[in-house]
Amino acid sequence: MSRALRILLAVVVLLGGAMSLPAAENAQLTRGTAITDPDVLRKLDQNDALTISRLLWPERNADFPLTNDLLFSWMPQLAPIPPAIDAEFDRYIAGHKAAWPSETIGVGEGFDVQLFDRAALKSPNTRFVLAGIVNRMDRAYVAEDSCGEIRLIYRLTRFDAGPDGARTATRLPMTFNLVMKARDSRQIGSNGKPVTCAEVARRWLGNGDWQELIGGGFHPYDAMLDRIETNIQVSIAPKSALHDFRSDYLLKVFKYDSATKTFEESTLENQIDRDRIFADNDLRRDFKAWLLAPDHLREFDRGTVLIPEKFLAKAAVVPTPAGLDASALQPEFGMMQGEGNSDPVFTDSDVVGALKQATARGDMQNIRSVAGFQRRLNDVTCAGCHQTRGIGGFHFPGVDWLADKPSNSTIVPASPHFLGDQLRRRDILTAFAAGQHPDFSRGFASRPQARGSQELAGTEYQDGWGAHCSLQNAGSGTLDKSFTSWSCAKGLTCQAAAASRRIGMCFIKTR
């Protein structure tokens, strides 16, 4: 296991080497924050260094990837995952039949709503393939001792034998993320002292001694395991007389329990359980009071809020596309005044009053209006974030290095939201490396923080073609202070992409 994690960290050095052209186009944004090079990922997966079985089954010296018919049955740590996913599918199917009794739902093209085939999770022809590695030290505010997270992202893939005997690989719409702590606070470096966050950051930025980071006798397979996150495209429903095209994604989280040595079903971070809050007056009152308290509202504004578990859900179904306008497809819908609920959790006066109190303690970075509060209430959740500037329901579909020409098959392995956030993440790594306290704040998911850099200027992430912008800056209504900085580059204009009165997209000016 020590060898595996050593490889995980050391391969960051390889990012400075030769890369395929499309990978090089994204290398500057992901430098030091993510590993997306197809050749590096292929070596790590095919050499069994970072397969799931190698990382979670070191005592058996599992130097081979387990196909899915063996993965969940041979590895007791993962045993709770399939039944939890099955239960969510059963609830989803029952809910769909109740809401749309005239539509058929099942696996295959013969159904109106086509379900993900769960047989792929038990098939000898499928396995999870390493599709990317992402540094999330920008999440160190969650647990300072761990210095944030490192995420190993695997994509479910089916392998079939062709008529000529050659194997073909087909990526299936599911990701399996193994989330590890960026360090173990008990970890000792070669200097005999505990490894610091600064050391971890320097290694990701390309400097330092990897052996010193690992140290002797280090066993991250237990001390550093945090959780597993799964994302499955649970169904696809083509456009019909009943509804527009829709694709639903199921998000689940399984926290590692070191006592039982299993991954147990857990709540999703900040995923508000809207239905339960609506149904419980005490819970509604407590949630409102908690979130509008000045200190919590300021963390909410900065994007670093951690909502207590009693308000959260253990699963989220994320419909896409959700659009820019408030609708029942969004996780907070109905909580705000004017969203079709006669008894909302938050009235406009509630929010305005709370903002005044919070602002009295210092400047608010993002939320300066009721509309800003509503937008943050969506994008702070797992579901709302996945609906914003994602590729379907994924922010990191990953690199398809199994394709004949991986550099051409997946030109962009991640969403605009993911790529636009890399400068902020690298800024945090740089602060860590310098021994400074980082600024963990983030902007809205729709529009990344500039962080004083011009790297994003004129791109789709900041103010170029396709960037999200403020319609008020185009003279279409009353200025909303939450979005005044969302402008378009010279030669582009902000145009409504939906019925939204506030947010549009940057396009070439038309007469």
Side-chain angles (χ1 to χ4, degrees):
M1 179 58 202
S2 297
R3 178 177 69 87
L5 192 64
R6 188 180 302 119
I7 294 172
L8 159 62
L9 296 167
V11 292
V12 181
V13 176
L14 299 179
L15 290 175
M19 305 176 103
S20 58
L21 179 60
E25 292 173 353
N26 296 311
Q28 186 62 25
L29 286 179
T30 59
R31 176 177 52 83
T33 58
I35 299 174
T36 59
D37 185 286
D39 292 333
V40 171
L41 295 170
R42 179 188 296 107
K43 291 175 184 176
L44 290 173
D45 186 274
Q46 292 186 339
N47 293 339
D48 302 320
L50 292 182
T51 59
I52 296 172
S53 52
R54 173 64 175 163
L55 292 172
L56 296 183
W57 210 18
E59 66 275 13
R60 295 292 295 270
N61 193 28
D63 289 328
F64 56 93
L66 289 180
T67 52
N68 276 26
D69 58 327
L70 304 176
L71 183 68
F72 294 105
S73 60
W74 284 19
M75 302 185 68
Q77 306 101 309
L78 305 180
I81 295 178
I85 290 175
D86 283 339
E88 295 296 345
F89 265 78
D90 292 343
R91 278 189 284 271
Y92 178 84
I93 294 169
H96 188 89
K97 288 180 177 179
W100 308 96
S102 63
E103 279 194 328
T104 59
I105 181 170
V107 176
E109 296 182 357
F111 294 90
D112 297 325
V113 177
Q114 299 165 24
L115 287 172
F116 173 84
D117 188 357
R118 283 175 282 172
L121 293 178
K122 303 173 184 177
S123 171
N125 298 322
T126 62
R127 74 173 180 92
F128 290 103
V129 172
L130 184 66
I133 305 171
V134 180
N135 182 307
R136 293 305 308 270
M137 291 182 72
D138 62 292
R139 286 179 44 77
Y141 65 87
V142 177
E144 292 185 8
D145 284 349
S146 67
C147 305
E149 306 164 354
I150 307 299
R151 298 184 181 184
L152 287 81
I153 302 177
Y154 300 85
R155 183 68 180 258
L156 183 61
T157 303
R158 185 180 68 241
F159 296 87
D160 298 303
D164 57 354
R167 287 199 315 167
T168 60
T170 303
R171 301 210 307 173
L172 303 178
M174 177 181 180
T175 56
F176 181 104
N177 304 344
L178 178 60
V179 183
M180 303 176 68
K181 300 171 186 176
R183 71 153 187 174
D184 174 11
S185 59
R186 298 167 296 178
Q187 183 182 350
I188 303 298
S190 59
N191 60 359
K193 297 180 180 180
V195 172
T196 65
C197 297
E199 290 175 83
V200 179
R202 283 195 292 268
R203 282 149 181 73
W204 273 87
L205 291 171
N207 304 309
D209 180 0
W210 306 107
Q211 297 288 345
E212 181 180 341
L213 174 62
I214 297 301
F218 179 51
H219 299 288
Y221 54 86
D222 188 60
M224 293 185 71
L225 292 178
D226 187 77
R227 65 189 184 276
I228 285 170
E229 302 170 339
T230 60
N231 184 3
I232 304 173
Q233 185 187 58
V234 62
S235 74
I236 295 177
K239 181 178 176 62
S240 70
L242 296 176
H243 50 70
D244 291 330
F245 170 84
R246 175 170 160 176
S247 182
D248 287 349
Y249 295 79
L250 172 65
L251 308 182
K252 293 285 290 180
V253 170
F254 303 86
K255 290 282 289 184
Y256 184 68
D257 187 328
S258 58
T260 63
K261 297 190 179 299
T262 56
F263 289 91
E264 303 290 346
E265 187 178 19
S266 178
T267 56
L268 281 68
E269 183 177 295
N270 291 346
Q271 182 62 40
I272 303 163
D273 194 332
R274 178 181 63 183
D275 293 340
R276 194 160 53 86
I277 290 173
F278 282 157
D280 187 327
N281 288 331
D282 291 339
L283 200 64
R284 170 199 292 252
R285 182 196 62 238
D286 291 348
F287 177 59
K288 175 179 174 179
W290 188 90
L291 187 57
L292 294 184
D295 288 346
H296 297 153
L297 188 57
R298 289 180 59 77
E299 292 174 347
F300 184 64
D301 169 71
R302 288 168 54 82
T304 58
V305 72
L306 295 173
I307 298 172
E309 285 196 9
K310 70 176 184 177
F311 303 120
L312 305 180
K314 288 189 174 181
V317 174
V318 187
T320 61
L324 298 177
D325 294 325
S327 74
L329 299 181
Q330 296 169 333
E332 67 74 34
F333 187 75
M335 288 193 167
M336 300 294 299
Q337 183 177 332
E339 292 182 337
N341 188 344
S342 60
D343 185 22
V345 177
F346 304 99
T347 66
D348 289 359
S349 60
D350 290 334
V351 175
V352 171
L355 287 175
K356 287 181 179 179
Q357 292 185 45
T359 303
R361 303 191 181 192
D363 185 44
M364 299 285 278
Q365 295 181 4
N366 300 290
I367 303 171
R368 298 186 174 93
S369 64
V370 173
F373 181 90
Q374 184 271 342
R375 183 164 289 268
R376 180 61 99 194
L377 196 57
N378 261 319
D379 77 23
V380 78
T381 67
C382 296
C385 181
H386 275 255
Q387 288 175 327
T388 306
R389 306 214 76 190
I391 301 175
F394 297 100
H395 276 303
F396 195 92
V399 178
D400 187 9
W401 53 261
L402 284 159
D404 291 336
K405 296 182 178 180
S407 60
N408 294 330
S409 63
T410 305
I411 296 175
V412 181
S415 73
H417 169 67
F418 173 91
L419 293 171
D421 196 42
Q422 296 308 300
L423 292 181
R424 182 189 69 87
R425 299 182 189 182
R426 193 188 314 142
D427 181 71
I428 290 171
L429 280 174
T430 302
F432 267 128
Q436 302 169 352
H437 184 72
D439 173 7
F440 293 112
S441 67
R442 65 176 178 86
F444 293 108
S446 302
R447 182 94 175 189
Q449 285 179 323
R451 289 275 177 164
S453 171
Q454 296 301 309
E455 281 189 74
L456 298 180
T459 69
E460 63 174 307
Y461 314 116
Q462 195 66 35
D463 53 10
W465 174 275
H468 286 193
C469 53
S470 168
L471 285 170
Q472 287 78 19
N473 287 337
S476 63
T478 304
L479 194 66
D480 192 309
K481 293 182 180 180
S482 293
F483 314 114
T484 52
S485 64
W486 297 22
S487 59
C488 292
K490 185 177 180 180
L492 303 178
T493 185
C494 191
Q495 300 179 28
S500 174
R501 294 170 295 172
R502 294 184 176 89
I503 306 302
M505 299 183 75
C506 296
F507 294 112
I508 295 175
K509 292 182 179 179
T510 56
R511 295 182 179 180

